[in-house]
Amino acid sequence: MELKKLEEIFQHKIDNEIKIEPKDWMPEAYRKTNIRQISQHAHSEVVGMLPEGNWITRAPSLKRKAILLAKIQDEAGHGLYLYSAAETLGISRDEMIEQLHSGRAKYSSIFNYPTLTWADMGAIGWLVDGAAIINQVMLCRTSYGPYARGMVRICKEESFHQRQGFEILYVLSQGTDAQKAMCQDAINRWWWPSLMMFGPTDAESSNSEQSMLWKIKRKSNDELRQQFVDMIAEQVKVLGMTLPDADLKWNETKKHYDFGAINWNEFWNVVKGNGPCNKQRLNARIAAHQNGAWVREAAIAYAEKQKNKHKAA
Amino acid sequence: MQAAKENFLLYLADSTHILSHRNSEWCGHAPILEQDIALTNIALDLLGQSRNFYQYAAELIGNNATEDSLAYLRIESEYKNLLLVELPKEDWAHTVLRQFYFSVFLFYLYQQLQQNKDVQIAAIATKAIKEVAYHVRWSGEWVIRLGDGTEESNQRMQYAVEAYKNFTGEFFVLTNYEKQMQIDFELIQQQWNDKVAAVFNDATLSFTNSNFHQVGGKEGRHTEYLGYILTDMQYLQRTYPNATW
Ligand SMILES: [Fe+2]
Ligand SMILES: [Fe+2]
């Protein structure tokens, strides 16, 4: 079939909300964009285990420790689904991991911020998982089938994480003065980086337009960010805490919250590797991978031996 | 008898808790993502078991004891876990071997506890034994895979065997409180030896037996490592006394 015809069929599917499946023909750029986005998403789930992992051994109660462990384990599971989804596009997990470790693939910059107190476990669940959900609910309808289906499973768990995070903060907000201060401090530190999770403004976003046309994305960065601000600005009242933005104000005409300017200089610097924990996070992933090399080799060698034994038998 | 039972519950609670704690240190750092999930699962199972034991112990002890006061407000010499479980996690070979030794012991112990006259202990064991059966299988498979994998993995396994040779005896050097629990530890020891021998055979490993055992954990005499574990674990509870989390 000639290329033009294939492109037509492809766009026809997209326009009619028919999912693109692994065996379908697709433009190379569509494949590449999906690989980039899905693998970046997978890496974010896995690197995202580290900042929360920082508090596993110091969780303040047995119940909290169990919830935190289960939450981080969920994130590992998300990473697995997503690596599998990306693999359907013809890239191996090893290649993706290599790209992460060499710095060619990115992960969400939010995980380059440190977790300094227990309240950060609450703030991450509430704000970071909260921001992720808004993005991921949209992605449940993304045009690439395996990605969309993975997102449906993931979204259920993410909304659970957000509620658990909020609950951690709620308990702190009802606690001692020190706990209240810890709660407010965590919100102050995580608020702006959470807003940055939606990416550059629409005017500056290079990949957005084509992604919208292919229905990889369905809402713009700014739309999603606004949705997040509107949600959190209400929820923070329940905590009796504030968001660190003097310009945050309900706009009756727009029916949305106005909010202050984001520090894009900080955003781009953290993306480029100058955040507080970029090296620490990446080094931890590389170390885990390198220290595990002999284990993976042994598993392969053992499986080979078993196969040969069966053949011989 | 009451005191013996309390001590026995704390021994099981502390041992499962501290091993869960050590395993949880792998979370986010394991050699393979699937195995990160598997080991975290085991950490969660052990944590769940420890909570059941702590909660029941707290009930017997009274005095407003809770699972958290027992876990977070006791000092090293009050902790009754096996020395084996507090040792550092080291590499994957040490981690899976320790898990295997411990899980095999726990499996046969729970098998007897299922019939315990104390219905609460019997109920905890009945619920937990399914989990432990899986832990035995998972860790046993890893012992075999690494033992019979590459030259390096075999060597690392053999190092781990060597490292633990003085620490597995503690399972069967009985304290007074265990002796009062009407458990046939001789049977467990026989079962443990048989199971370990079978898996080691498949793993092409040789079991190093030692006649000299490091003991004391079950009575509160620990290695240097436990202090650091508790310092870390108890940090928030100690820094902010009486706060609710
Ligand atoms: Fe996730
Ligand atoms: Fe999450």
Side-chain angles (χ1 to χ4, degrees), chain A residues 41 45 74-75 78 129 136 154 158 161:
Chain A
H41 193 163
E45 301 283 355
D74 284 348
E75 306 301 2
H78 299 170
D129 287 72
Q136 289 171 4
I154 289 174
E158 296 295 8
H161 296 167

Side-chain angles (χ1 to χ4, degrees), chain A residues 101 103 151 158 164 182 198 219 225 258 269 276 290:
Chain A
H101 294 176
M151 277 301 121
E158 296 295 8
Q164 286 171 337
M182 196 186 278
F198 297 95
K219 287 180 179 177
R225 187 165 17 240
D258 290 331
N269 264 294
Q290 286 175 351

